[in-house]
């Protein structure tokens, strides 16, 4: 592991739509100085200029705001593949709403990392991930969209599915109001941990991810 380039994942925000506490969910990937931003938005601006800006939903409610932030850095956000010198980030479909949405599977340093902030059904392609940043909009119950076109699964269900699919580390990184209320009540997770704006997960020489805090601006 000591010969590998540094690999870090920074949560620029962990909030669901209109969160009263967190910035919009976003992830900054840094592999040996190659930086790629996924999602994010206002309040989730980092001090770094990414090489690319990817999104999980090109029709999301935040897409206009994301475009403004990305364009201020000379980038165009898009649902796409990114590949550069040992880092590969590929979109994978998720069941979420009535138009195409995705999560991202990241391959770097021999690890499989997943960014899947919104889904109604746990994605099969996230099986055996070393680290997954996942949906946490609902707490005990899923959130259903009007018309039966999808929605958000619950934290309880994500935890069960992650264990069933042999995920090594689960971080909840799209935290909605029901889950915020549960956190305030001191509710405990069956499996996994809550992310916070600014959390950094760095791969160390033993091949495990160590969490610390970072100043984003």
């Amino acid at each position: 592991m000591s010969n590998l380039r540094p690999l870090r994942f920074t949560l620029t925000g962990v909030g669901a739509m209109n969160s009263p506490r967190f910035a919009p969910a976003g992830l900054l990937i840094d592999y040996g100085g190659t930086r790629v931003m996924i999602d994010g938005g206002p309040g989730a601006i980092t001090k770094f200029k990414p090489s690319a800006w990817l999104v999980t939903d090109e029709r999301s409610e935040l897409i206009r705001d994301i475009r403004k932030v990305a364009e201020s850095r000379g980038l165009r956000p898009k649902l796409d593949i990114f590949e550069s010198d040992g880092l590969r980030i590929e979109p994978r479909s998720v069941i979420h709403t009535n138009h195409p949405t995705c999560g991202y599977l990241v391959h770097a340093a021999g690890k499989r990392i997943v960014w899947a902030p919104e889904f109604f059904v746990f994605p099969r392609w996230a099986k055996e991930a070393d680290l997954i940043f996942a949906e946490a909009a609902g707490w005990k119950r899923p959130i259903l969209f009007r018309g039966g076109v999808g929605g958000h699964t619950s934290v309880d269900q994500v935890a069960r599915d992650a264990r069933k699919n042999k995920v090594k580390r689960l971080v909840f990184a799209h935290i909605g109001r029901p889950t915020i209320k549960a956190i305030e009540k001191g509710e405990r997770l069956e499996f996994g941990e809550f992310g916070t704006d600014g959390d950094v997960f760095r791969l160390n020489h033993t091949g495990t991810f160590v969490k610390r805090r970072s100043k984003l601006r």
Side-chain angles (χ1 to χ4, degrees):
M1 295 297 299
S2 60
N3 294 325
L4 295 176
R5 290 177 292 157
L7 175 63
R8 290 185 293 271
F9 297 88
T10 302
L11 288 168
T12 63
V14 297
M17 188 67 187
N18 297 320
S19 172
R21 180 179 296 183
F22 303 112
L27 186 70
L28 177 68
I29 302 168
D30 187 337
Y31 185 48
T34 298
R35 300 185 179 98
V36 177
M37 185 70 197
I38 308 181
D39 293 332
I45 304 170
T46 73
K47 61 185 177 181
F48 304 111
K49 179 179 178 181
S51 301
W53 200 306
L54 306 176
V55 292
T56 53
D57 183 353
E58 291 184 316
R59 293 168 59 184
S60 75
E61 293 170 297
L62 283 173
I63 193 63
R64 289 185 180 180
D65 294 321
I66 292 172
R67 285 194 183 113
K68 286 182 181 179
V69 177
E71 287 171 0
S72 72
R73 285 156 172 73
L75 299 169
R76 183 171 69 86
K78 56 185 177 178
L79 194 162
D80 204 357
I81 295 172
F82 178 89
E83 190 165 14
S84 175
D85 195 18
L87 172 65
R88 180 175 174 82
I89 307 169
E90 55 189 55
R92 295 289 187 91
S93 295
V94 295
I95 297 172
H96 173 52
T97 187
N98 62 354
H99 61 263
T101 54
C102 75
Y104 282 92
L105 180 58
V106 182
H107 298 274
K111 300 292 183 180
R112 286 166 45 89
I113 302 93
V114 170
W115 174 252
E118 295 182 280
F119 56 82
F120 190 59
V121 177
F122 190 89
R124 292 182 180 179
W125 51 266
K127 185 176 182 178
E128 298 182 351
D130 294 286
L131 172 63
I132 177 172
F133 299 99
E135 167 78 84
W139 178 244
K140 293 289 185 182
R141 294 191 293 267
I143 298 171
L144 304 177
F145 290 160
R146 187 176 299 174
V149 295
H152 302 271
T153 192
S154 66
V155 165
D156 274 5
Q157 189 64 54
V158 174
R160 288 194 294 270
D161 288 341
R163 270 187 166 166
K164 180 181 177 181
N165 285 277
K166 300 179 181 179
V167 168
K168 294 182 178 66
R169 187 167 185 177
L170 167 64
V171 178
F172 291 102
H174 182 260
I175 300 173
R177 291 174 185 266
T179 305
I180 290 174
K181 289 179 181 178
I183 293 171
E184 290 172 345
K185 291 179 181 178
E187 298 277 3
R188 297 197 176 191
L189 293 167
E190 178 183 324
F191 174 58
E193 62 196 277
F194 292 116
T196 303
D197 297 358
D199 280 351
V200 178
F201 295 82
R202 178 180 59 82
L203 187 65
N204 69 12
H205 67 282
T206 67
T208 57
F209 287 95
V210 178
K211 183 169 74 172
R212 63 178 179 82
R213 295 283 295 159
S214 174
K215 293 182 179 179
L216 297 178
R217 296 178 183 277

